[in-house]
Amino acid sequence: MPVLVITGTGTEVGKTVTTAAVAAAAVATGRSVAVLKAAQTGVGPDERGDAEEVARLAGAVTIAEVARYPEPLAPATAARRSGRAPVRPHEIAEAAAKLTAEHDLVLVEGAGGLLVRFDEAGGTLADAAELLAAPVLVVASAGLGTLNTTELTARELRGRRLDLLGVVIGSWPAAPDLASRCNVADLPDVAGAPLLGAVPAGAGALAPAEFRGAAPGWLAPRLFGTWDADGFRVREAP
């Protein structure tokens, strides 16, 4: 798995912190890791973006961006409004392929969900994943509504014959409600792929050393960790 594409079921689901956790867990096994942000929106030229946040948390990783836009919008819209060139799927694939020459693992983090548009032609992260022939990891929220968005994302991936590696819950609450507890069992069913981890809510606020030490425990062995889905399952309330 030289390249892993990481997408979310939407915005604010914990995609960047999950990417950092995968990077930290891989680095802990001795792998060299690069993180590529397909399109960074909502930050200025001197502000820290998602890739920099991954590096802050995960440590010794190479980071890169294909493009950056100042307004917090979908990449195609942000590019048009800024008057800058949009990101095209082949540019994402080429940048990722170039990083594989010097790294064991390249993590490609999308912007928002799988079908967020990068350019005026409707190019998406799914198109880049097809060009790379890379597996896709889906980051989902824990609570009510996540089953629908996760299944829609999984159906799109299957329709494109892309490999859905699994699902990670990007922000697992300290006191999960009934819907969240039930979703632990239901997410693999609707996704047709295994649950591969759960990142605790607030993990991004940990000190970097603490984050790196804990990250492998949040992720399954397929993501270089030690997390056990069977041990994580919680009893549903009556």
Side-chain angles (χ1 to χ4, degrees):
M1 186 174 65
V3 179
L4 176 62
V5 174
I6 301 179
T7 190
T9 55
T11 59
E12 305 300 324
V13 295
K15 184 169 71 272
T16 296
V17 176
T18 298
T19 300
V22 175
V27 168
T29 66
R31 290 173 170 84
S32 58
V33 178
V35 176
L36 176 67
K37 181 68 178 179
Q40 177 67 63
T41 65
V43 295
D46 299 321
E47 295 180 302
R48 188 173 68 195
D50 291 343
E52 285 89 353
E53 178 64 5
V54 170
R56 183 185 73 83
L57 291 169
V61 300
T62 300
I63 60 172
E65 292 175 354
V66 180
R68 170 178 287 219
Y69 308 104
E71 294 182 313
L73 301 167
T77 306
R80 184 180 70 246
R81 284 178 53 85
S82 69
R84 301 177 186 178
V87 173
R88 305 196 186 280
H90 75 86
E91 294 173 325
I92 301 169
E94 288 167 4
K98 188 176 296 184
L99 288 167
T100 62
E102 296 181 352
H103 299 85
D104 300 319
L105 175 67
V106 177
L107 303 176
V108 180
E109 182 186 348
L114 181 68
L115 297 184
V116 167
R117 294 189 172 198
F118 284 96
D119 61 23
E120 71 283 355
T124 67
L125 186 69
D127 297 316
E130 286 187 77
L131 292 171
L132 287 162
V136 179
L137 178 68
V138 173
V139 181
S141 58
L144 198 63
T146 194
L147 299 180
N148 179 62
T149 53
T150 300
E151 184 164 3
L152 287 171
T153 302
R155 286 189 182 190
E156 179 66 21
L157 289 168
R158 286 196 296 272
R160 291 171 176 259
R161 291 186 169 83
L162 287 168
D163 177 19
L164 172 52
L165 187 71
V167 178
V168 170
I169 297 172
S171 183
W172 179 253
D177 60 14
L178 177 60
S180 297
R181 298 196 302 272
C182 291
N183 288 339
V184 172
D186 293 340
L187 277 168
D189 289 339
V190 302
L195 187 62
L196 294 180
V199 178
L206 294 174
E210 187 178 358
F211 182 94
R212 295 165 200 168
W218 306 331
L219 302 168
R222 293 187 74 180
L223 294 175
F224 318 106
T226 60
W227 183 84
D228 178 16
D230 289 335
F232 181 77
R233 289 183 186 275
V234 288
R235 185 177 65 84
E236 298 173 17

